[in-house]
Amino acid sequence: MNTRKKSGVAAAKREKDLMRVQGKSVYRPFVYGSKAVLLPTDTSKRPPNTPPDHTHQWTVYVRGVDDADITHWLRKVQFKLHETYAQSQRMKEAPDQFEVTETGWGEFEIGIKLFFPPESGEKSQSIYHQLKLHHFGEDKEAAKERGDPVISQLYEEVIFNEPAEAFYEILTTDPASNARAKAGSKVAKAKQIRSRNAEIPEKEGSYSHAAESLEIHKLKEAQKIVDSLIAEEKVKLTEKEKELEDLKKLET
Ligand code: SLL
C-alpha cells in the first residue's frame, strides 16, 4: 500500500518535472570542430602502432565557449567516424571530454549526436562536421608553410523551447559550480556566471559583445546601402509612372 502511495507521489513529481515552462526559450552556446596536425614520417616519433599510410593526427570535439562547463545540459556526445575506422561510433560521456583523437589519411564528414540529460525530456540532436586535414581559406599557403595545425571550428547554439520544469532548473542553477563558487574560487565563480548565462560573454573574444557590436555596426551599414538603393528605385518608379501617365494622356 505504502509503496503504491509513494510511487504515486513519485509519478506526480515526474509529471510536474516534465511540465514545460511556457513561453520560455533557453539558448545554450557551444563550439564544435576539429584540429589536425601532420604526423612525423620518422616511425620512432609516431604514436605507437600508427599505420604507415596515416599522415595526420586529429581531434574532433564539442566544447563550451571559452571552455565553459556545459555538462549540466549536454550529457553525452556520439561521434560517428568514417567506416574505415574500427568501432566507428564513439560515445563520450561526462566527465570525459567530448572529443575523439585519431590518426588517419583522409577527410570525411563526422556525425555528432548530442544527448541531453534524461530529465530534460529532449530528443538527441545531430550536427555534422567536415573533418579538415589540409589548410583552407585565404591564408592556407602561409599557414602550411608555418606548419600551423588545421583548425575548423564552428559556433552553434542549442535552443530549448519551453524546457521541462526540472531541466529549466538545471539550466539556470548548477549545484556543482555553486559549491565551487561558495568554496571561494574566483575562477569557479567567474566560470559559473559565464556558463550559467545564456548571453554572449562580455569580454573580448570571438563571440564577445565587442564582436557582436561590430557585427551590428556592419549590418547597420549594409542597411543604409539597401535603404539608399530602395530610395533610388522609388525615384525611378515615380519617373516611370509619370511617363506612363503622359503616354496614356497622349493616347486619349
Ligand atoms: C576520402 N572519402 O577518400 C574519404 C574517406 C577515410 C579516412 C576518408 C583512416 C582509416 C583507417 C582514414 O583516414 N580514413 O584507419 O584505415 O578521402
Side-chain angles (χ1 to χ4, degrees):
M1 264 312 183
N2 206 5
T3 28
R4 194 178 293 167
K5 212 181 212 169
K6 256 193 203 153
S7 71
V9 171
K13 183 178 183 310
R14 261 202 311 280
E15 215 161 276
K16 184 189 175 297
D17 285 348
L18 279 175
M19 268 170 54
R20 303 217 152 229
V21 184
Q22 305 287 320
K24 285 245 187 253
S25 291
V26 179
Y27 293 77
R28 284 293 171 260
F30 66 97
V31 291
Y32 68 101
S34 57
K35 178 177 176 174
V37 290
L38 257 181
L39 280 172
T41 41
D42 180 349
T43 38
S44 68
K45 291 184 185 139
R46 288 160 74 89
N49 307 321
T50 308
D53 59 338
H54 286 196
T55 50
H56 292 76
Q57 181 166 56
W58 51 260
T59 299
V60 59
Y61 56 83
V62 175
R63 289 178 195 149
V65 175
D66 291 338
D67 257 335
D69 182 22
I70 52 172
T71 57
H72 52 287
W73 62 263
L74 186 61
R75 213 33 76 73
K76 291 190 289 187
V77 177
Q78 188 194 60
F79 297 92
K80 174 82 183 72
L81 311 182
H82 192 263
E83 55 260 26
T84 44
Y85 286 92
Q87 285 104 40
S88 62
Q89 301 202 20
R90 312 279 176 92
M91 186 65 100
K92 295 288 160 174
E93 195 163 344
D96 283 357
Q97 300 278 66
F98 300 134
E99 60 178 50
V100 169
T101 297
E102 267 294 353
T103 61
W105 50 262
E107 299 181 334
F108 58 94
E109 190 178 66
I110 301 177
I112 302 175
K113 209 170 181 179
L114 310 173
F115 293 86
F116 309 108
E119 53 272 59
S120 70
E122 298 282 340
K123 286 198 206 100
S124 61
Q125 286 186 26
S126 289
I127 50 176
Y128 298 89
H129 174 68
Q130 182 60 40
L131 173 66
K132 290 282 190 189
L133 301 184
H134 310 290
H135 288 282
F136 56 93
E138 273 173 37
D139 195 33
K140 64 180 179 189
E141 294 307 329
K144 190 176 170 187
E145 199 70 11
R146 288 193 300 268
D148 290 351
V150 178
I151 295 170
S152 169
Q153 177 173 287
L154 283 171
Y155 172 89
E156 194 44 277
E157 284 169 355
V158 185
I159 307 167
F160 300 109
N161 282 320
E162 305 201 327
E165 297 254 4
F167 189 42
Y168 186 71
E169 277 294 304
I170 294 172
L171 283 167
T172 47
T173 49
D174 176 10
S177 56
N178 270 337
R180 283 199 301 276
K182 262 199 203 133
S185 157
K186 275 193 189 144
V187 176
K189 200 163 200 167
K191 239 187 172 172
Q192 178 210 9
I193 292 162
R194 196 134 38 94
S195 63
R196 294 292 98 192
N197 195 338
E199 305 286 323
I200 301 164
E202 291 283 352
K203 296 191 313 160
E204 284 301 316
S206 31
Y207 311 114
S208 66
H209 275 293
E212 193 192 35
S213 308
L214 184 67
E215 199 58 32
I216 290 170
H217 175 73
K218 279 193 214 156
L219 286 171
K220 279 190 179 154
E221 289 303 303
Q223 181 72 48
K224 272 187 211 160
I225 295 170
V226 172
D227 286 346
S228 75
L229 286 175
I230 291 173
E232 268 175 40
E233 290 303 318
K234 271 189 183 158
V235 170
K236 277 188 208 158
L237 183 67
T238 322
E239 276 168 11
K240 291 278 171 210
E241 273 171 353
K242 183 153 187 324
E243 258 175 53
L244 187 66
E245 280 299 304
D246 292 345
L247 283 172
K248 272 185 186 161
K249 268 182 212 155
L250 277 181
E251 245 178 30
T252 52

